[in-house]
Amino acid sequence: MSGGKCNPKILKENLFAVQQLDSFGRLLQPGLLELSTTFEGSFQECEQISGVKYDTNYCYMSLLPKFHNPFSSLPFRSAVCMPRSCKHHDLPILYNQLGSKLFTARVAFCVHQDVEKDSAFWGFTVFMIVMVSIAILATTVDFLRESVYEKTSDQERNIALKILIAFSFWTNAGQVLSVKEQKPGFIKSLDCIRAFSMSWVVAGHALMYFLFSDALLPLSSVSKHIWNHLFLQAVLSVDTFFLLSGIVVAYLFFKQRPKPAVIKSPLTWILFYLHRYLRLTPPYMLFIGFFVVYNPYVQGPYNAWMWNAQNHEANACKSNWWRNLLYINNYDLNQMTTCYGVSWYLAVDTQLYILAPIVLIALYFSFAAGAITVVAGCVGSIITTYILYGVYDNMAADSYHDDASGEHNNVIYQRPWIRCTPYLLGLLTGYIIATYGKRQIRLNWAICVVCWLVAFGIGFACLFSNYDYDNGSYWSPFAKATFCNFSRLFWSIAVAWVIVANHFGFGGPINSFMSHPIWQPFGRLSYCAYIVHWMVLYYYLNVGDRPIHYFNTWQVYCYYAIPATILSYVAAFFWSCLFEVSTLKLEKMLIEAILSIGSGSGFGSPSNNATPKKPISDESSQSQNGVGKGHESWEIEPETDCSSLKL
């Protein structure tokens, strides 16, 4: 003040303090009657004043009400804008010293975090720089050879140059994005199913994050709208991919029926497993390294609001990554120490792949023996599910159990003996397509229409028949196990009919849509898209300036699932070109070397054991899209019954 008047200069110099205070969260704010658990401030305003006098940091502080009320146990959060010099562990102490009469502060997390650049960071960063440099060099060499000397990469005979060109983006990108009419016998509709299933996966995971919305009342209506079950039942997408995986394994095995000597050769099965491991592991484990090193740099209001949840998962990878390397991470009894939790599917699928030869050999010698093996496996899985649902129900009813809901993951959701039904049906379906796919089978149009209607009816029943359960109706363990068993079984049958009908020409306009070549790049990229989508989705949620607020599922799909799916495919394109396609080419060279050494053992061509002759194009596109690309996974909600996302 000067002479009783406001000094504009002083006001301007200290306006930042007013803005800093204005960016704090307030108790009385719009949406309070929606049972809001977050007193939101303005992240943008807090960021705008950063650096004016000092750097600021937007933080969320967990508050516990001092007064008794029905919502005392809720995780209330309040946004504060503090100097960055104040560490997150200092904020609760400072708040409690001020003596609030309403709340006690317990913990705080801030948007901007100091990340220590340890040896793992520098080591992996140097590795990425080296790999990108090799890719740039390989791309340059490959481009010059093709444009100047008109020599394509597949014509190269020098082994050193061949290894280098394996990392060429020029060739790899062309193979990934190739769109052309496939040869007869190719199961064309699989790429479309993969693309839509990948979108379903991301939508399910996005909705899972919205279950931790900043207001409780809007969430209470999620299960009341029947069409929301299209998202709540996204767990069925897991069974779709188990089915596809089994189909492709059997189809590739029986496409060129191997001779008995090949079946009896130990080298056949060595390469059967070696191909699988070398095909999936490099891009998978390298991304886990990327996730561990760079995930702490995914910082934003949502990450702070969620107590840096994904950072804990990245920290778990530092000590438990070896479980993922051995594909046994689905047996982690403590979900808090699970490394990259959505990768449980890769583990289960690999374990089923290990047992697949039992069915393949049985089908090879006798269709009846193979069919009996499949039926026996399905019956065993169904009986086991009934037994384990009783065990799980007892755990959930135990009031002394700290994490009864989480036991669903350990007892049921992630176990191969529970999830094997779609995979076994896939093996049988793949055998039928490979054996009878070239025959001209005629089916009356009326029968086709009836079968399509039955398939769609089964699909709708699997999606919506647990509507009353989601809205509070009591289901006994037997009822829940029945739904879990037969929704998985009948959903797989319905999807199998779609694939078989399209392949044999019974699909009409549906086949024309699903078999269009435009789906091919999406099918090729679906494996890497799955690998990266979990981190990409979390990054996208942190792009905004505040925690997510649920309005309806259409909002979740349009504003979050679709953009995150697109970003996942973009990231997958670069990851696939850099690590997936290149390692597949190197694996092909290794397999050829092994075959040349063991040529006297009676082993046939690589195609007899699902080893592609070319990385992505032509006939091997099925291998790339199948044995490799068919192994996507996701975890919709680890702490629920498999019947739905239970609120």
Side-chain angles (χ1 to χ4, degrees):
M1 293 286 185
S2 177
K5 297 181 179 180
C6 179
N7 189 327
K9 182 178 180 181
I10 296 177
L11 181 62
K12 183 177 181 180
E13 291 177 349
N14 293 277
L15 182 62
F16 81 94
V18 179
Q19 291 176 302
Q20 182 177 353
L21 184 62
D22 185 54
S23 66
F24 274 55
R26 297 169 178 81
L27 176 60
L28 298 178
Q29 60 182 4
L32 193 64
L33 296 181
E34 289 186 327
L35 300 181
S36 176
T37 59
T38 302
F39 309 135
E40 189 58 59
S42 175
F43 171 70
Q44 185 176 15
E45 192 172 24
C46 183
E47 287 290 288
Q48 286 176 343
I49 63 173
S50 184
V52 176
K53 293 293 184 178
Y54 45 77
D55 291 332
T56 55
N57 204 357
Y58 193 72
C59 308
Y60 286 95
M61 195 155 44
S62 175
L63 303 176
L64 181 67
K66 289 184 176 180
F67 54 94
H68 181 72
N69 64 83
F71 311 107
S72 297
S73 60
L74 293 180
F76 288 100
R77 296 169 172 86
S78 180
V80 295
C81 181
M82 301 297 290
R84 200 171 297 186
S85 57
C86 294
K87 303 303 179 184
H88 66 89
H89 49 76
D90 297 327
L91 298 183
I93 299 174
L94 178 62
Y95 181 89
N96 293 331
Q97 286 178 345
L98 295 176
S100 171
K101 295 182 179 180
L102 296 178
F103 298 98
T104 299
R106 297 186 293 179
V107 67
F109 288 88
C110 300
V111 169
H112 298 288
Q113 311 163 51
D114 296 327
V115 182
E116 180 184 357
K117 294 181 174 60
D118 54 11
S119 58
F121 172 87
W122 292 114
F124 195 84
T125 301
V126 169
F127 168 77
M128 289 297 297
I129 293 174
V130 170
M131 293 304 300
V132 172
S133 301
I134 292 174
I136 293 174
L137 175 61
T139 303
T140 304
V141 171
D142 191 24
F143 175 77
L144 291 176
R145 280 167 47 83
E146 185 170 329
S147 59
V148 177
Y149 300 103
E150 297 183 352
K151 292 185 65 175
T152 58
S153 59
D154 57 352
Q155 296 174 335
E156 183 56 52
R157 294 294 177 263
N158 183 281
I159 187 63
L161 198 55
K162 197 172 182 180
I163 292 174
L164 174 64
I165 295 178
F167 295 91
S168 169
F169 265 68
W170 178 253
T171 298
N172 293 353
Q175 293 174 337
V176 169
L177 300 178
S178 173
V179 175
K180 57 186 177 181
E181 189 65 28
Q182 296 292 347
K183 294 181 179 181
F186 182 82
I187 310 178
K188 301 176 183 179
S189 59
L190 297 190
D191 289 327
C192 177
I193 295 175
R194 290 190 184 99
F196 277 94
S197 295
M198 191 65 229
S199 174
W200 202 10
V201 170
V202 179
H205 277 144
L207 183 61
M208 184 192 74
Y209 278 119
F210 270 86
L211 295 182
F212 304 97
S213 179
D214 61 349
L216 300 180
L217 197 58
L219 293 172
S220 63
S221 63
V222 174
S223 62
K224 295 179 181 178
H225 300 286
I226 191 167
W227 291 109
N228 287 350
H229 279 67
L230 291 172
F231 298 92
L232 295 174
Q233 282 295 88
V235 291
L236 291 174
S237 57
V238 179
D239 301 307
T240 300
F241 276 92
F242 277 126
L243 176 76
L244 297 184
S245 179
I247 288 175
V248 172
V249 169
Y251 176 79
L252 292 174
F253 188 83
F254 291 107
K255 182 177 63 173
Q256 295 178 356
R257 192 174 183 86
K259 298 178 180 179
V262 174
I263 299 295
K264 298 175 182 178
S265 171
L267 186 58
T268 300
W269 304 109
I270 292 175
L271 293 181
F272 182 83
Y273 294 122
L274 182 64
H275 167 73
R276 161 76 186 204
Y277 192 82
L278 295 180
R279 169 65 186 85
L280 297 187
T281 306
Y284 168 45
M285 292 305 299
L286 286 173
F287 187 79
I288 285 182
F290 184 93
F291 173 72
V292 171
V293 170
Y294 298 115
N295 184 76
Y297 294 93
V298 179
Q299 301 178 357
Y302 183 74
N303 186 48
W305 186 84
M306 280 289 288
W307 307 147
N308 302 340
Q310 208 165 76
N311 286 0
H312 302 307
E313 192 172 342
N315 290 332
C317 287
K318 294 180 180 179
S319 56
N320 295 326
W321 58 269
W322 59 271
R323 296 175 181 172
N324 298 67
L325 184 65
L326 298 177
Y327 294 95
I328 58 172
N329 47 294
N330 61 314
Y331 293 104
D332 191 352
L333 298 180
N334 184 357
Q335 298 300 315
M336 298 300 293
T337 63
T338 298
C339 169
Y340 211 62
V342 294
S343 63
W344 68 268
Y345 174 87
L346 287 174
V348 174
D349 191 77
T350 299
Q351 292 155 23
L352 293 175
Y353 184 88
I354 292 173
L355 299 176
I358 299 175
V359 178
L360 296 178
I361 294 174
L363 285 170
Y364 180 82
F365 289 105
S366 170
F367 174 78
I372 292 173
T373 304
V374 169
V375 171
C378 292
V379 171
S381 175
I382 290 172
I383 294 174
T384 304
T385 302
Y386 278 113
I387 295 172
L388 293 182
Y389 252 99
V391 174
Y392 165 67
D393 192 69
N394 291 333
M395 288 181 175
D398 186 359
S399 60
Y400 296 98
H401 201 282
D402 294 332
D403 189 23
S405 59
E407 282 299 323
H408 181 269
N409 239 17
N410 299 328
V411 175
I412 297 173
Y413 195 78
Q414 298 182 0
R415 295 297 181 257
W417 44 83
I418 300 298
R419 310 309 301 251
C420 67
T421 303
Y423 193 91
L424 293 172
L425 290 175
L427 292 175
L428 191 60
T429 304
Y431 170 83
I432 292 172
I433 294 175
T435 304
Y436 304 103
K438 296 181 180 179
R439 300 184 183 182
Q440 296 294 328
I441 300 177
R442 296 184 178 275
L443 198 62
N444 184 277
W445 69 269
I447 298 177
C448 289
V449 171
V450 170
C451 290
W452 275 102
L453 291 176
V454 170
F456 278 112
I458 290 174
F460 276 101
C462 294
L463 288 170
F464 303 115
S465 59
N466 62 331
Y467 175 78
D468 63 330
Y469 173 75
D470 285 339
N471 286 281
S473 176
Y474 172 76
W475 280 18
S476 67
F478 179 83
K480 288 187 287 187
T482 299
F483 176 81
C484 187
N485 270 324
F486 292 99
S487 64
R488 178 180 301 130
L489 174 65
F490 288 119
W491 176 265
S492 301
I493 292 174
V495 177
W497 161 257
V498 173
I499 296 170
V500 170
N502 286 337
H503 189 76
F504 284 94
F506 309 145
I510 297 177
N511 179 44
S512 300
F513 174 78
M514 297 184 66
S515 299
H516 196 280
I518 193 64
W519 302 114
Q520 292 171 17
F522 296 98
R524 297 182 185 119
L525 289 172
S526 54
Y527 175 58
C528 280
Y530 162 69
I531 292 176
V532 305
H533 90 276
W534 185 240
M535 185 176 178
V536 169
L537 175 60
Y538 198 77
Y539 165 80
Y540 184 73
L541 293 174
N542 280 281
V543 171
D545 65 340
R546 61 188 60 216
I548 51 182
H549 181 79
Y550 177 81
F551 178 66
N552 58 37
T553 53
W554 189 239
Q555 165 220 11
V556 176
Y557 188 71
C558 292
Y559 286 87
Y560 293 91
I562 292 179
T565 301
I566 295 173
L567 288 175
S568 295
Y569 272 107
V570 171
F573 168 76
F574 290 100
W575 199 260
S576 179
C577 290
L578 185 59
F579 293 115
E580 185 186 22
V581 181
S582 56
T583 54
L584 182 60
K585 291 179 178 179
L586 295 178
E587 182 229 354
K588 176 178 178 286
M589 299 178 199
L590 175 63
I591 297 296
E592 287 176 346
I594 295 176
L595 289 177
S596 64
I597 295 174
S599 58
S601 64
F603 187 81
S605 66
S607 62
N608 286 337
N609 58 86
T611 302
K613 296 179 179 179
K614 295 181 182 179
I616 291 182
S617 60
D618 300 326
E619 291 180 348
S620 63
S621 177
Q622 189 68 62
S623 177
Q624 176 76 358
N625 295 340
V627 175
K629 296 292 186 178
H631 295 84
E632 293 83 19
S633 66
W634 51 87
E635 176 184 15
I636 300 303
E637 173 52 70
E639 297 184 356
T640 63
D641 289 352
C642 72
S643 55
S644 68
L645 290 172
K646 185 67 176 176
L647 296 179

